[in-house]
Amino acid sequence: MDDGDPTGLRRRALLGTLAGAGTASLAGCPAPGDGGDGGTDTDTGTATATPDPETARRFAERFAPTFGFDAAEQWFPTDPRPYTAEQDDETVVDGFAALDGYTRAAAEADAPPDPTVFYHVVEYEASPLTVVQYWYYSAFDQFTTNFHWHDWEVLHVFVDTDADEPQLFVASSHSSRVPNNEFLDPPPDRVPRILSELGSHSSALSLNDRRNSFQRLPLDDLTADITNRAVGLAEQLAELPAAYGLPRDEGLRLPYVVPELDGSPIYDHERLPAVDRDALVDETLTIRSFDALSNPPSDLPARETDVVFGPAADATPDGDADVTYDLVSTTELEDIAAFTGPQLSFEFVIPEFAEDAVAGHITTAGTPWQQDRYDDPVADITEPVHRAALADRYDAVSPPAPVNDIVATVTEVVQSPDAPDSAGVTTAETTLEAIALLRSDPVAAPTFRGVAMLRGVETRSHRLTINGAGLAPHEEPVEVGSDGDTPDDVTTSGGPTPTVTGTDDVARTATLAGVDGEIPLVPRGEATKVEVDTEGADTELTALAVDDDFGGRLYEASLSGPDAVYVHRSGAYTAEVRDADDAVGAFRVNPDAADPAPVRIDRPRTGKASLASFVAAITDETAEGLASVGDTDDDDGSPSDDDASSERGDGGGSETSTLGGLLRAMEAVSGAASRAAERAERGDRGGTDRALDALAANLQRAVERFDGLRETLPEPAAEAADRRLRQAQRRTEQAAAAEKL
């Protein structure tokens, strides 16, 4: 499913620029941040040491893990030493040499070449806590959010030497922004089993008796494969553990993207003669780019475990290894100074006013032995409750620092079955994982089970971007902060971004992005952009919201300049703005279902004139919809009283019980609303208020007539009219209460 690339020139220019920026030291699963200001604590002041080689080897052999790899995997754990070279008096591993050499060796052997896992053992001084690290190297990483030469993943096994029992397993995820897969107090006799994500090699734990699948939650008699705390904070997240997991094993799809370098697919590069298209992730799982699709892909195959790696010494604990690996100390690699290669990139489309922007996102990290977590593995614990548990048991472990999260569920916008054609949308659970990125941070985070969670975010203003294959992009400002003086379990800020604070013995602040923690994405082929030109406003605008008649609020965020939001063309929307004085303005937005051209609001005003104009517009729209219902027209084009009559208890023919009477009442509403808007524009406050009084009275009569007719109308049309009339009433009340004309 390698679709064409309509933005190829733009992509090539961007990627070529980034690729020409020089070389970088790259590795997968970057370590957490520096722990400052809401980030994950990486306290490296704790004294650690390495045991003697014999003791280290004994620990490494005891807990050596088994690995299960996807049937489409191309890059298995290997030894990077065959690809070293001397450069500027340093030993380096070049990305071209590693990828091309590994590909050639795999083809010649028709098997994974040099299967190797490296170990490093750390003892916390004056403590019975010892940690066995298993580092595994792949020559390349091809994923959805990024691609890079060289990929290092790690599994930490925390062991109490006094009790002679494991305390915690920590398996690396994509980055410090995505919670790792962790298990506190595993069964003493259980050796770790890792399920490796295709291409990215992110490591999911598989500790229960269902060895080739990942269970996020307990299932029947099976325990869950992780003990991470639930995301919480929102009702739909109350039971969902916060860990990356294994999306394709959990029923959601995640398409892969073709890496490019110097404007062409990487397999066309002259320095990679052994690499062809078949050397990358299979085409059935791959797309050219996110924006090459008009709808999310629906035919991606699920995950299937095909190759199992196990330690070479004796039989593996599971007894099912297809490939045995050598267990080698990392001390044999520590002379390697860098893993190099030109920077590869993945681009994010950012919705902006008038023309979308394209941001290149990159992933860079050091070699394992240059990272804090190499000598202080506690730094890699991303679940604060797990770190708190170890801090309780061992003086050598400091408690977790306060951490800031950004959390949202990602859903998909679809046409509402309850709305008339092209007149309303709703949201549904997505079957596709999306990608979250902060503009302030080059590390992208895939969603898990449709949840976007960014951990360890600094306290300040950010801009959050969400991209998905075949989906229009989303971006919004997010204000991240904590209130250390608030003792309650949950608090909500008064701003457009609600912030909640959880305690349960671990300080954590989570900012819910989107609308009450939900970010709806629109299929690209059914999207249009609503552009709000704040340059045409007569006051400083501070907030923007977009509501659909049926789907409710779909977007809500602060506003500091011209902005744009993608909406579904089958919806009927109200865009609402607020200014610095908290005055409200509203604007009716009805996209053309057949035309993707943007809809622009040129003069987003607030106050009585804006709200009255909105009431006139939505009333005319509602009347037009009711007039077209069924066979309600006579030959002369006038509404037929007989065809739209309500049941009359007295047998009378009052026009208040007919559709024609309702339409005439609505015409009066529209006229009064237009007069109120005109007088407000002229600065006539008294005339405006009198017109608004007449509007409210006329609108009440129209609503009463509609209520009397509702049972005679088709349900979709009646439901749409009801929602719009109620909104007209709310906006009329806002106009009457507004101080600003």
Side-chain angles (χ1 to χ4, degrees), residues 466-614:
I466 305 287
N467 275 203
L471 296 167
H474 169 98
E475 183 171 81
E476 65 177 77
V478 179
E479 193 70 31
V480 175
S482 60
D483 182 358
D485 297 329
T486 304
D488 298 332
D489 283 349
V490 178
T491 64
T492 303
S493 71
T497 303
T499 301
V500 295
T501 304
T503 55
D504 63 354
D505 299 326
V506 176
R508 179 181 57 147
T509 299
T511 299
L512 295 178
V515 179
D516 295 330
E518 180 182 0
I519 295 178
L521 299 180
V522 184
R524 182 174 288 274
E526 300 171 48
T528 196
K529 187 192 290 185
V530 176
E531 301 172 341
V532 180
D533 186 3
T534 57
E535 300 299 327
D538 57 2
T539 186
E540 178 188 359
L541 300 179
T542 60
L544 169 66
V546 177
D547 297 274
D548 175 77
D549 290 348
F550 284 78
R553 183 144 296 185
L554 301 174
Y555 181 86
E556 181 178 31
S558 60
L559 184 66
S560 59
D563 205 354
V565 180
Y566 277 102
V567 298
H568 198 292
R569 294 203 299 273
S570 290
Y573 304 97
T574 298
E576 177 187 281
V577 296
R578 288 182 180 268
D579 64 21
D581 297 322
D582 206 32
V584 179
F587 311 88
R588 193 63 175 161
V589 177
N590 287 289
D592 186 337
D595 185 1
V599 177
R600 178 170 295 184
I601 301 172
D602 289 315
R603 294 185 62 205
R605 302 163 297 165
T606 57
K608 295 179 185 289
S610 170
L611 293 165
S613 294
F614 172 84

Side-chain angles (χ1 to χ4, degrees), residues 118-134:
F118 298 90
Y119 67 88
H120 177 60
V121 181
V122 173
E123 294 176 334
Y124 282 85
E125 294 186 1
S127 171
L129 187 62
T130 294
V131 184
V132 191
Q133 299 177 332
Y134 298 92

Side-chain angles (χ1 to χ4, degrees), residues 29 56 104 180 192 228 269 295 422 448 457 464 497 527 558 619-620 661:
C29 63
R104 189 183 306 277
N180 287 326
N228 296 51
H269 202 281
N295 284 281
S422 300
F448 54 87
V457 180
L464 173 66
T497 303
S558 60
T619 302
D620 288 342

Side-chain angles (χ1 to χ4, degrees), residues 55-104:
T55 299
R57 181 75 188 186
R58 186 171 64 252
F59 273 114
E61 289 178 346
R62 176 180 172 186
F63 295 102
T66 300
F67 299 86
F69 292 95
D70 193 283
E73 182 58 61
Q74 299 285 357
W75 304 286
F76 297 97
T78 192
D79 190 336
R81 288 176 291 181
Y83 315 115
T84 57
E86 296 302 309
Q87 179 179 309
D88 299 328
D89 297 325
E90 290 185 330
T91 302
V92 301
V93 180
D94 175 72
F96 287 110
L99 177 56
D100 196 68
Y102 180 88
T103 302
R104 189 183 306 277

